[in-house]
Each structure stands twice: as C-alpha cells, then as structure tokens.
C-alpha cells in the first residue's frame, strides 16, 4: 500500500485554484474526505504533508487553495499576509471559495461525498469556523491555533458541524478572552463543540518551521502539536463512525 499524491486544479470564484489531494492507492470503497486549509502563506508543501498524514489514517485529503493558482507568499515575502488580508476583507468571497474547494473534494473519485470534514491551521482555522458558521457541507471541523473573529455576514442560527478547537493559551492572535467568546458563540448556535487549550503554547504551535520563534507568542510547541494531532485523530474517528 502506498500514498498517492496528485495535483488537483479546480474552478471557483476568481479561480482557477490548485491544490494537492492524497489517498491510499488501494482504496476500493469510498472513503471520508478531509479538507486541509492552509495558514497565512497559502497552499504549500507542509499542507501536502498534512494531507498525506491524513491519507495514512484512511482518509482522502485535499490541501486546498483559497488564494488562486500561483498566488502564494513565503515568510520572506515583503507582505506575507497579502492574499490572506484580501480574504479577510471579503469573508463572503472566502466562504464561496471554501465551498468550491469542498465541491472539488466531494467530487473526487474515491471520496464519500456524504462524509466530509475540514481541518485548518492559523488562518485555515478561521476557514474551518467560517465553514461551520455558514453551514457548508462538513460533518465536523478542527481548528488548530485559529483566529476567532466572526465574519461580517449573518451566521446560521444553528451550527450543525461538530467542532474541535485546539488553542494555544498564550496565543496573542486569539486571547483567552476571545477563546471564551468563541465558546459562547458556539453555545448560542447549539453547536457540538470542544476546546482544548494547551498551556505555555502560543500561535502556530504546529508549525515545525518556527522552532525559532517568529515573534513573541508565535512558535512551534512540540507537546501541543503532538497532543492536538492525537485529539484530531480521535475526533475524526468518532465523527466518521
């Protein structure tokens, strides 16, 4: 058994978009699909590796693209947040691009279109929450060190997707107060939610490229990374029973 990785180009508002899908080559029956939503920099190799890790767990995973084909930044870019800021300024467009990515995953051959989840990192964590807030067709989602501000369009009255929020207690971009506000929001929306808060961890705690902190409170944290990934494994296993 081997993991297959394939570039997937798909259409959507402002597209085309280019992601990478990964799955086991011996898949004979439809498998649950998991959308992987990248951080500030956009779709990149580390997201492809997350997709492959999910494929090893038996899922079909798409590391998606919400910026557009060829639109990427690096940590060395003059404005690393260029494309993210454009999406933050138009959350309805972000929602519609996420819907297009979900459609691409749901339409991919080995995927069971009725069993879809999403995970996301940093900005991607916000994407997962927005999918739940707008009732896009996911059964559940996992936000890793996400950002919690609400979109400027009306949220659904009831959030159907189950949610796991993996939070670094020292995250300067998502303070404990904002974490509590998110819990209140999800409770008011009657969501099935849980928050795991990791002590001494900050923003980007899963990002192995940040062993040396990028800024105060923005760094890799091995324990939080390991524990949150295990929590995700258990969450997805329960979700797809």
């Amino acid at each position: 058994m081997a993991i297959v990785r394939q570039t997937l180009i798909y259409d959507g508002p402002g597209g085309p978009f280019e992601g990478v899908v990964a799955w086991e080559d011996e898949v004979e029956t439809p498998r649950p699909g998991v959308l992987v939503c990248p951080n500030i920099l956009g779709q990149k190799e580390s997201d492809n590796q997350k997709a492959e890790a999910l494929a090893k767990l038996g899922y079909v995973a798409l590391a998606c693209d919400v910026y557009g084909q060829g639109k990427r930044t690096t940590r060395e870019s003059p404005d690393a947040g260029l494309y993210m800021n454009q999406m933050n300024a138009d959350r309805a467009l972000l929602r519609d691009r996420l819907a297009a990515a979900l459609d691409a995953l749901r339409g991919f051959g080995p995927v069971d279109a009725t069993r879809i989840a999403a995970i996301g990192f940093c900005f991607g964590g916000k994407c997962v929450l927005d999918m739940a807030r707008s009732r896009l067709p996911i059964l559940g989602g996992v936000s890793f060190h996400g950002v919690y501000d609400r979109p400027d369009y009306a949220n659904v009255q009831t959030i159907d997707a189950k949610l796991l929020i993996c939070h670094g207690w020292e995250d300067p971009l998502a303070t404990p107060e904002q974490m509590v506000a998110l819990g209140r929001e999800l409770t008011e929306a009657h969501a099935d939610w849980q928050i795991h808060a990791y002590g001494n961890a900050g923003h980007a705690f899963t990002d192995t490229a940040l062993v040396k902190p990028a800024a105060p409170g923005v760094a890799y944290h091995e324990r939080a990374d390991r524990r949150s990934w295990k929590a995700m494994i258990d969450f997805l296993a329960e979700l797809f029973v």
Side-chain angles (χ1 to χ4, degrees):
M1 180 175 64
I3 301 300
V4 179
R5 180 197 284 200
Q6 175 183 315
T7 298
L8 184 65
I9 297 174
Y10 56 95
D11 199 12
F17 300 91
E18 181 176 332
V20 168
V21 63
W23 73 100
E24 292 176 346
D25 64 352
E26 293 184 5
V27 170
E28 295 181 353
T29 58
R31 298 287 182 90
V34 182
L35 195 71
V36 180
C37 300
N39 66 12
I40 180 176
L41 304 178
Q43 206 275 357
K44 56 196 169 302
E45 177 58 22
S46 61
D47 302 304
N48 302 339
Q49 292 171 1
K50 294 293 187 186
E52 289 186 338
L54 286 161
K56 290 176 183 177
L57 296 172
Y59 307 120
V60 180
L62 171 62
C64 74
D65 171 19
V66 296
Y67 295 161
Q69 192 175 31
K71 295 181 178 179
R72 308 287 188 269
T73 60
T74 68
R75 299 193 189 282
E76 293 72 36
S77 298
D79 185 0
L82 172 64
Y83 301 118
M84 180 189 74
N85 292 337
Q86 292 173 1
M87 292 293 90
N88 282 333
D90 193 343
R91 296 282 282 278
L93 178 60
L94 173 61
R95 175 198 60 206
D96 294 346
R97 289 182 174 185
L98 289 165
L102 283 171
D103 285 345
L105 175 61
R106 296 173 74 217
F108 191 72
V111 173
D112 180 347
T114 67
R115 303 169 76 202
I116 302 293
I119 71 170
F121 303 86
C122 304
F123 170 70
K126 175 188 288 190
C127 291
V128 169
L129 292 172
D130 278 6
M131 281 187 271
R133 286 165 168 149
S134 52
R135 202 176 281 153
L136 293 184
I138 59 171
L139 297 180
V142 184
S143 167
F144 294 91
H145 44 83
V147 183
Y148 305 147
D149 58 299
R150 296 192 193 199
D152 53 2
Y153 52 80
N155 293 3
V156 296
Q157 293 295 313
T158 301
I159 289 177
D160 296 325
K162 298 178 181 180
L163 292 169
L164 168 62
I165 315 300
C166 297
H167 174 78
W169 186 255
E170 305 294 338
D171 191 334
L173 302 183
T175 64
E177 293 76 17
Q178 290 169 318
M179 179 199 70
V180 170
L182 175 66
R184 291 196 180 111
E185 175 196 347
L186 298 178
T187 297
E188 290 169 3
H190 310 288
D192 180 344
W193 64 271
Q194 52 187 304
I195 292 177
H196 294 197
Y198 302 101
N200 306 305
H203 193 66
F205 61 74
T206 67
D207 193 337
T208 55
L210 298 180
V211 174
K212 181 179 179 180
V218 182
Y220 177 68
H221 191 280
E222 188 276 334
R223 287 195 305 274
D225 182 23
R226 172 169 42 83
R227 290 169 178 171
S228 61
W229 188 258
K230 184 178 186 303
M232 179 213 70
I233 290 173
D234 294 341
F235 175 85
L236 292 178
E238 179 181 311
L239 185 71
F240 293 132
V241 166

